[in-house]
């Protein structure tokens, strides 16, 4: 997969736990154009092991001299965000993938309701630039834990004017999805990015109010969960690869030199889907891509976030 | 008929069934579409408000307005004709919110005329239940002069706009709400296949 070689131009501390990074291309050229809601996958070399994490681009699509991402520090995870916070400084060289958009604005929408929780604000930053440019009707509803966690609030007030509404959990203000979605005009699309309970709450509320599913959009990148060690067998190349507990199946295959397909690395896009031929245990699905029925059928797996509780898993690769 | 082959754009229709999750329901029907409405009201009716917009076809022998009036006690609007229903649809849309479910019953010309009004309000036809009732007559547009004949019954017909003999295809345009009609004797003028009634 072709990559972009970038240098970190600027690192800004936005809140206690959020840092913003600005990337420019090493060859001095402008970066590829992208649409609002796109993300890139950043590769990090952590103790000799390659980590790849997806991050939404939050700069305006109108400006491709640089890209900006924001990273929330997650101490209890596999170390990607901690690496970004502690090791990445201005001048650090990184490789990123070309931007991919799995969370685009529907251009036919008459109105757009954007709902962000915490660091889930990032994809909306670039979408808002697009919506402003198109002169589209939109509202942004941004919920965060406390005023210290209000990342980008001033920037959003400037970008959105009175279209933005803030909800501070610490003050007891919460988004009431029934109120929010119950009286929207025909042709409205709703978008949510944030913690899982919030995403689920909005999707369920929309469903019960009778919103068609193609008017409701969500994006959640998942970190691969930690689990037990198992062995994955690649049917076509007859390779046997041990997947350690703290590595995803996809990462283990990549470490072993296998050129496995991937795009988002967060269980959202479905690009890395593999056919499961055989297992002596159970598949642990963590993705948002497969339907419940497909998960239950147990013959497909998304190796970027899903794993297995077994000794041996045979996939068709 | 070639088996195992289909034209993807050819619309498929289903019998109308109430959708469980909704804020309200709008049923739009014309002529034989009245049967679709009657079938709907034989099911358990939903709790949310219902609006029914219906007109008989004055040319037809069968009328459904009296039976529908007996079955639908609230939210019924009987209109004079197809155009009356369509303008009632436009007037209704301003009050509708996301969560309103739409149901259309009638012939294909009516289904897509109503769908186009819904589309202009941002309602995707994928999310609208559509039941084809009565005639299988097809709305067809002439790819040469763009004239649409709303009710074509035969495999080959004469375009009312340009007089060409057109062959009716299965290719369907959702934007125009009509099937494609192509000149059948362009290669050999006058060589017209046997005209048969395909869409009674």
């Amino acid at each position: 997969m072709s990559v972009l070689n970038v240098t970190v131009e600027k690192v800004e501390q936005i809140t206690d736990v959020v840092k913003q990074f600005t990337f420019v291309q090493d060859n001095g050229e402008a970066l590829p154009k992208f649409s609002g809601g796109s993300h890139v996958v950043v590769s990090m070399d952590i103790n000799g092991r390659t980590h790849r994490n997806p991050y939404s681009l939050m700069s305006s699509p109108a400006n491709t001299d640089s890209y900006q991402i924001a990273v929330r520090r997650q101490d209890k995870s596999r170390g990607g965000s901690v690496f970004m916070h502690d090791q990445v400084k201005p001048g650090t060289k990184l490789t990123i993938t070309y931007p991919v958009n799995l969370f685009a604005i529907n251009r036919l929408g008459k109105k757009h309701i954007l709902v962000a929780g915490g660091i889930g604000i990032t994809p909306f930053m670039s979408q808002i630039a697009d919506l402003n440019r198109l002169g589209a009707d939109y509202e942004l509803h941004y919920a965060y834990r406390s005023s210290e966690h209000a990342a980008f609030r001033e920037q959003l007030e400037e970008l959105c004017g009175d279209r933005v509404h803030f909800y501070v959990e610490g003050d007891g203000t919460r988004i009431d999805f029934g109120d929010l979605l119950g009286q929207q005009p025909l042709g409205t699309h709703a978008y949510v990015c944030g913690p899982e309970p919030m995403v689920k709450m909005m999707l369920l509320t929309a469903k019960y109010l009778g919103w068609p599913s193609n008017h409701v959009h969500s994006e959640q990148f998942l970190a691969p969960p930690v689990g037990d060690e198992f062995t994955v067998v690649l049917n076509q190349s007859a390779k046997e690869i041990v997947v350690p507990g703290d590595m995803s199946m996809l990462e283990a295959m990549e470490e072993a030199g296998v050129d496995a397909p991937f795009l988002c690395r967060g269980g959202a896009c479905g690009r890395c889907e593999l056919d499961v031929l055989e297992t002596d245990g159970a598949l642990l699905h963590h993705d948002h891509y497969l339907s419940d029925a497909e998960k239950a059928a147990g013959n497909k797996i998304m190796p970027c976030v899903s794993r297995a509780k077994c000794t041996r898993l045979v996939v068709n690769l | 008929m070639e088996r195992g082959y289909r034209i993807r754009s050819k619309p498929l229709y289903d019998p109308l069934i109430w959708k469980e999750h909704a804020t309200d329901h709008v049923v739009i029907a014309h002529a034989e579409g009245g049967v679709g409405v009657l079938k709907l009201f034989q099911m358990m009716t939903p709790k949310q408000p219902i609006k029914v917009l219906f007109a008989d076809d004055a040319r037809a022998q069968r009328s459904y307005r009296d039976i529908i009036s007996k079955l639908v006690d609230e939210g019924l609007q009987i209109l004079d004709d197809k155009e009356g229903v369509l303008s009632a649809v436009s007037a209704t849309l301003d009050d509708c919110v996301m969560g309103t479910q739409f149901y259309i019953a009638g012939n294909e010309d009516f289904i897509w005329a109503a769908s186009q009004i819904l589309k202009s309000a941002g309602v995707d036809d994928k999310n609208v239940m559509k039941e084809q009732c009565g005639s299988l007559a097809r709305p067809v547009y002439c790819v040469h002069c763009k004239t649409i004949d709303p009710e074509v019954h035969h495999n080959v017909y004469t375009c009312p706009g340009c007089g060409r003999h057109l062959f009716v295809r299965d290719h369907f345009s959702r934007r125009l709400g009509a099937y494609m009609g192509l000149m059948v004797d362009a290669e050999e003028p006058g060589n017209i296949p046997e005209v048969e009634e395909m869409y009674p």
Side-chain angles (χ1 to χ4, degrees):
Chain A
M1 189 176 246
S2 52
V3 293
L4 298 162
N5 295 305
V6 296
T7 304
V8 177
E9 187 188 58
K10 213 159 51 169
V11 181
E12 289 157 273
Q13 189 86 38
I14 303 295
T15 70
D16 279 1
V17 289
V18 175
K19 274 187 176 180
Q20 178 175 283
F21 300 85
T22 304
F23 300 149
V24 292
Q25 200 162 198
D26 287 354
N27 62 14
E29 286 174 18
L31 286 148
K33 291 200 186 305
F34 67 99
S35 51
S38 298
H39 72 272
V40 294
V41 175
V42 179
S43 295
M44 300 162 228
D45 184 4
I46 306 176
N47 304 325
R49 197 186 265 186
T50 308
H51 276 243
R52 293 187 176 93
N53 285 6
Y55 294 107
S56 296
L57 292 178
M58 50 180 304
S59 40
S60 166
N63 171 22
T64 52
D65 292 337
S66 62
Y67 285 165
Q68 282 176 339
I69 63 165
V71 180
R72 187 191 195 285
R73 188 186 176 101
Q74 314 273 11
D75 282 312
K76 283 185 204 135
S77 76
R78 302 168 339 122
S81 65
V82 171
F83 175 86
M84 289 299 291
H85 272 254
D86 295 348
Q87 308 292 323
V88 176
K89 308 272 185 266
T92 303
K93 304 246 181 222
L94 291 168
T95 58
I96 63 173
T97 59
Y98 278 70
V100 167
N101 201 343
L102 300 173
F103 196 47
I105 287 291
N106 186 311
R107 297 285 178 101
L108 297 175
K110 302 272 179 194
K111 184 180 175 184
H112 307 273
I113 307 288
L114 317 177
V115 178
I119 194 66
I121 190 65
T122 54
F124 295 122
M125 306 287 289
S126 58
Q127 282 188 346
I128 285 163
D130 272 355
L131 289 165
N132 281 341
R133 186 171 50 79
L134 294 167
D137 186 8
Y138 72 91
E139 292 170 13
L140 171 65
H141 299 266
Y142 177 22
Y144 45 82
R145 211 171 293 163
S146 66
S147 51
E148 298 89 72
H149 290 90
F152 310 110
R153 179 170 173 148
E154 278 169 29
Q155 202 177 328
L156 287 166
E157 282 171 337
E158 202 172 295
L159 271 171
C160 309
D162 56 5
R163 292 180 183 278
V164 60
H165 307 269
F166 299 101
Y167 303 80
V168 190
E169 196 184 312
D171 301 349
T173 55
R174 288 206 165 206
I175 300 176
D176 183 325
F177 285 110
D179 282 353
L180 181 61
L181 302 178
Q183 289 297 321
Q184 294 299 341
L186 291 176
T188 303
H189 283 254
Y191 309 80
V192 61
C193 184
E196 191 167 5
M198 179 191 217
V199 173
K200 278 201 169 142
M201 182 58 105
M202 191 177 108
L203 298 184
L204 269 178
T205 309
K207 183 181 163 186
Y208 283 110
L209 286 170
W211 281 54
S213 58
N214 61 351
H215 281 245
V216 188
H217 315 269
S218 65
E219 184 165 76
Q220 252 184 301
F221 289 131
L222 307 166
V226 174
D228 296 331
E229 183 179 295
F230 64 99
T231 300
V232 56
V233 181
L234 309 186
N235 175 52
Q236 291 171 26
S237 53
K239 269 193 184 156
E240 294 210 2
I241 300 161
V242 175
V243 182
D246 62 346
M247 222 190 226
S248 75
M249 232 173 106
L250 179 61
E251 287 164 345
M253 293 190 294
E254 286 170 341
E255 289 285 304
V258 177
D259 187 19
F262 72 87
L263 212 53
C264 79
R265 305 185 80 91
C269 76
R271 180 72 185 89
C272 66
E273 178 181 294
L274 292 177
D275 289 330
V276 174
L277 301 175
E278 203 186 310
T279 178
D280 59 358
L283 302 181
L284 304 174
H285 294 287
H286 297 291
D287 61 280
H288 290 306
Y289 179 77
L290 293 174
S291 67
D292 289 345
E294 285 171 317
K295 285 179 183 173
N299 48 20
K300 288 186 192 310
I301 193 165
M302 299 296 152
C304 66
V305 290
S306 299
R307 50 193 306 123
K309 192 166 179 61
C310 66
T311 52
R312 197 164 167 275
L313 173 73
V314 186
V315 294
N316 192 14
L317 185 70
Chain B
M1 273 294 172
E2 194 181 336
R3 296 207 183 185
Y5 173 79
R6 71 179 172 111
I7 302 288
R8 290 182 68 95
S9 61
K10 164 85 183 77
L12 301 173
Y13 305 97
D14 289 312
L16 302 185
I17 294 172
W18 296 115
K19 290 198 185 154
E20 187 188 351
H21 303 303
T23 51
D24 51 340
H25 307 263
V26 177
V27 183
I28 304 158
H30 176 240
E32 286 294 317
V35 176
V37 179
L38 295 177
K39 285 193 285 181
L40 255 185
F41 279 86
Q42 289 179 12
M43 299 171 201
M44 184 177 78
T45 44
K47 287 178 244 146
Q48 302 88 1
I50 302 171
K51 213 176 242 190
V52 179
L53 312 172
F54 177 74
D56 273 319
D57 180 0
R59 299 171 302 172
Q61 291 180 326
R62 197 76 178 90
S63 163
Y64 296 99
R65 56 180 295 165
D66 294 341
I67 318 176
I68 290 175
S69 303
K70 279 186 196 119
L71 272 176
V72 184
D73 45 5
E74 258 177 72
L76 174 64
Q77 243 182 297
I78 298 283
L79 290 308
D80 291 338
D81 51 17
K82 182 180 122 182
E83 285 66 36
V85 177
L86 296 178
S87 46
V89 173
S90 301
T92 299
L93 290 179
D94 293 338
D95 304 329
C96 295
V97 294
M98 284 301 292
T100 303
Q101 307 301 324
F102 295 94
Y103 310 80
I104 308 176
N107 70 5
E108 273 195 294
D109 176 50
F110 178 76
I111 288 173
W112 292 97
S115 295
Q116 278 178 329
I117 296 171
L118 296 182
K119 188 184 173 187
S120 67
V123 181
D124 186 343
D125 85 77
K126 276 194 207 93
N127 302 321
V128 177
M129 290 212 96
K130 304 180 278 296
E131 178 168 349
Q132 187 178 20
C133 295
S135 167
L136 296 182
R138 289 183 168 192
V140 185
Y141 75 98
C142 170
V143 302
H144 310 282
C145 79
K146 313 296 179 204
T147 303
I148 294 183
D149 186 329
E151 288 181 25
V152 174
H153 294 281
H154 297 84
N155 60 334
V156 175
Y157 76 104
T158 307
C159 174
C162 64
R164 286 180 176 92
H165 294 285
L166 303 179
F167 177 70
V168 179
R169 299 195 57 102
D170 273 347
H171 294 98
F172 185 83
S173 160
R174 277 166 168 70
R175 188 178 67 80
L176 299 168
Y179 292 88
M180 185 191 268
L182 274 120
M183 190 173 178
V184 75
D185 58 343
E187 308 282 330
E188 261 183 82
N191 182 6
I192 294 160
E194 194 182 339
V195 177
E196 289 171 290
E197 187 180 37
M198 298 287 278
Y199 317 109

